[in-house]
Amino acid sequence: MYYGEIKKTDIANGEGVRVSLFVSGCRIHCPGCFNPMTWDFCYGKLFTEETEKEILDALGKDYISGLTVLGGEPFEEDNQRILVPFLEKVRKTYPEKNIWCYTGYVYDVDLLPPDGKKHIEVTEKMLSLIDVLIDGPFVLAEKDPTLAFRGSRNQRLIRFK
């Protein structure tokens, strides 16, 4: 998996001050996407053990509320397989911090079994590690800059825990 950026003090993509990981790779290609360079699965840098350590170290600051994963698309199959063991490390190391994730897929249509088009062997585990999921594609006709943590009115903020 590749990633486009790590923000170590992000206040735009979840509650509090966060560390945000922008993964690469997305097949949705929403018109008006704020991050189209991350559609390319090889955009940016390779996600390595050193990358994991960098993020885990950044999460250790007292003022950091948690981790946000966005993209690109975290729920592309190859990304899920890399993210699950990493998110498990985050949970184990920082059980008091929360994990947010953005997806252009729809939770109860695309991610859940038996018919979810992005449901694979690790999807349920990935969902179990997430506290807040923002789902749904960005829809330019429904763009609303007044929404907290969402770009368009069709997107939902789903709190799991």
Side-chain angles (χ1 to χ4, degrees), residues 51-53 66-67 71 92 98 102 115 139 149-150 153:
T51 311
E52 288 186 1
K53 182 179 181 334
L67 173 70
K92 182 178 179 184
N98 57 57
Y102 284 75
D115 299 322
V139 176
F149 312 120
R150 296 172 291 144
R153 288 184 298 277

Side-chain angles (χ1 to χ4, degrees), residues 20-155:
S20 291
L21 169 66
F22 293 78
V23 302
S24 294
C26 182
R27 293 181 177 93
I28 302 171
H29 298 186
C30 300
C33 174
F34 81 103
N35 214 2
M37 69 284 285
T38 62
W39 296 351
D40 180 344
F41 281 81
C42 294
Y43 173 76
K45 299 177 184 174
L46 187 62
F47 188 82
T48 64
E49 286 183 29
E50 290 78 24
T51 311
E52 288 186 1
K53 182 179 181 334
E54 178 182 353
I55 294 170
L56 289 169
D57 288 349
L59 285 166
K61 307 272 190 297
D62 290 342
Y63 59 85
I64 297 293
S65 299
L67 173 70
T68 298
V69 182
L70 60 169
E73 177 53 58
F75 280 92
E76 293 293 356
E77 293 85 346
D78 290 343
N79 290 346
Q80 288 186 59
R81 291 183 180 106
I82 299 297
L83 286 169
V84 165
F86 171 62
L87 295 178
E88 288 176 323
K89 288 179 190 175
V90 171
R91 271 278 172 242
K92 182 178 179 184
T93 308
Y94 301 108
E96 74 284 3
K97 309 245 180 192
N98 57 57
I99 298 173
W100 286 47
C101 185
Y102 284 75
T103 180
Y105 293 106
V106 177
Y107 168 68
D108 45 346
V109 174
D110 300 315
L111 302 180
L112 295 180
D115 299 322
K117 68 181 176 184
K118 289 297 173 177
H119 184 272
I120 61 170
E121 74 282 357
V122 296
T123 304
E124 290 172 70
K125 182 63 177 176
M126 185 157 155
L127 289 167
S128 76
L129 295 165
I130 295 168
D131 298 293
V132 179
L133 181 73
I134 293 83
D135 81 334
F138 172 75
V139 176
L140 191 55
E142 295 190 42
K143 181 178 179 178
D144 185 345
T146 67
L147 296 171
F149 312 120
R150 296 172 291 144
S152 59
R153 288 184 298 277
N154 63 296
Q155 294 173 315

